[in-house]
Amino acid sequence: MVYFIGAGPGDPELLTIKGKRIIDQADVIIYAGSLVNEDVLKDRKPQARVYNSAYMTLPEVIRVMEEAEADGLTTARVHTGDPSIYGAIREQMDALDELGIVYEVVPGVSSFVAAAASLKKEYTLPGVSQTVILTRAPGRTPVPEKENMASLAAHKATMIIFLSVGQIGSLAGTLAESYGWETPAAVVYKASWPEEKIVRGTLKDIGEKVAEAGIKKTALIVVGEFLGNDYELSKLYDAEFETGYRKASH
Ligand code: SAH
């Protein structure tokens, strides 16, 4: 059996109880060494075999899983955040399907939710934005043209940009064409790690501030008026409104 596990954003206590139980009992552990905090592996079995997938190709990862399976061993494939977001999990699941190897996915706390916690903000403020766009700038992996940054920015929704802090200068310019230069933006570096850094600004100055802070990777760019202070109160907790659980108070 193979378990894909979302290891969370960094803080080992942000691993699910289920994910931790499986890691601690696994015979073989393959973890994404570039981003996963090794502390999530600290209670593993002493005899567990540990592989860092940063040094492996897809066929090598699959071969390790296949051999473990042949020996009746349990594999924990440990991804950063949640594996469904830029996790390259699909190609692994498809390869396992082809081999007839059974697997399960255990979700994790994605870095984008950890960033909201660090910022102490809500992405979906009434009257501001009810939509969250998760995207990235094109890098070695291209982004389909239909999702180009300018077209996403046109919605002025809450936007969270992964894998792109190295391009923040040019991105801010593209985004400002729709959002306007005064729109708040923030960069969260290593959310939930001891070395976490938060840089706050507007689309006008965020590039410069991030360069000054020396942030070049492992960071999220978040953009939108959700970072500001104007919004409407929620209907959910409005005394004038009834919900399935509560009568109106008037
Ligand atoms: N599956 C992961 C994302 C993997 S892509 C998740 O759900 O979070 C790697 C990118 O995620 C990084 O380039 C960075 O943009 C972001 N990232 C991952 N961990 C992060 C963290 N702790 N703080 C800020 N950004 C992080």
Side-chain angles (χ1 to χ4, degrees):
M1 181 81 175
V2 173
Y3 294 92
F4 291 95
I5 296 167
D11 178 349
E13 291 194 340
L14 293 178
L15 175 62
T16 64
I17 294 167
K18 187 168 188 171
K20 175 161 175 57
R21 178 174 55 76
I22 294 166
I23 290 171
D24 293 352
Q25 294 171 357
D27 305 300
V28 175
I29 297 171
I30 310 170
Y31 74 108
S34 54
L35 280 170
V36 169
N37 187 343
E38 286 186 34
D39 276 357
V40 304
L41 311 179
K42 72 178 183 339
D43 297 324
R44 67 181 181 273
K45 296 201 287 200
Q47 71 274 26
R49 272 185 275 147
V50 180
Y51 298 84
N52 180 350
S53 62
Y55 301 109
M56 299 162 79
T57 60
L58 174 64
E60 284 168 348
V61 167
I62 300 300
R63 198 170 316 124
V64 169
M65 292 174 173
E66 206 179 352
E67 284 169 9
E69 203 61 21
D71 294 339
L73 303 176
T74 298
T75 301
R77 172 66 169 115
V78 184
H79 284 265
T80 179
D82 183 84
S84 70
I85 311 284
Y86 306 114
I89 184 181
R90 176 65 190 269
E91 60 194 24
Q92 299 173 73
M93 295 191 291
D94 285 352
L96 293 183
D97 281 339
E98 227 157 82
L99 294 167
I101 296 174
V102 181
Y103 54 86
E104 209 179 293
V105 184
V106 179
V109 176
S110 178
S111 58
F112 84 91
V113 279
S118 297
L119 289 163
K120 300 193 170 70
K121 296 292 182 204
E122 176 175 349
Y123 289 139
T124 53
L125 287 180
V128 176
S129 175
Q130 292 289 290
T131 303
V132 182
I133 297 174
L134 305 182
T135 189
R136 62 169 299 169
R140 262 180 306 179
T141 304
V143 174
E145 173 49 32
K146 64 186 167 53
E147 294 160 17
N148 72 72
M149 201 55 77
S151 70
L152 299 180
H155 296 282
K156 296 194 191 186
T158 296
M159 178 120 76
I160 298 160
I161 309 172
F162 287 74
L163 295 159
S164 308
V165 76
Q167 302 170 59
I168 190 159
S170 61
L171 274 175
T174 307
L175 296 169
E177 285 173 27
S178 295
Y179 284 91
W181 287 105
E182 297 310 320
T183 297
V187 164
V188 184
Y189 168 76
K190 289 204 128 182
S192 89
W193 290 73
E195 58 269 42
E196 172 182 300
K197 271 190 222 167
I198 297 180
V199 177
R200 292 181 177 83
T202 62
L203 287 174
K204 191 154 57 189
D205 60 15
I206 194 77
E208 202 176 311
K209 288 179 166 177
V210 164
E212 273 165 24
I215 299 171
K216 296 193 177 73
K217 57 175 193 162
T218 326
L220 292 169
I221 306 169
V222 299
V223 181
E225 289 298 342
F226 81 95
L227 288 163
N229 295 319
D230 292 333
Y231 62 95
E232 294 163 12
L233 294 180
S234 75
K235 302 289 183 228
L236 185 59
Y237 297 108
D238 186 335
E240 297 296 311
F241 280 80
E242 291 189 359
T243 73
Y245 293 92
R246 203 189 59 226
K247 292 262 172 262
S249 58
H250 52 82

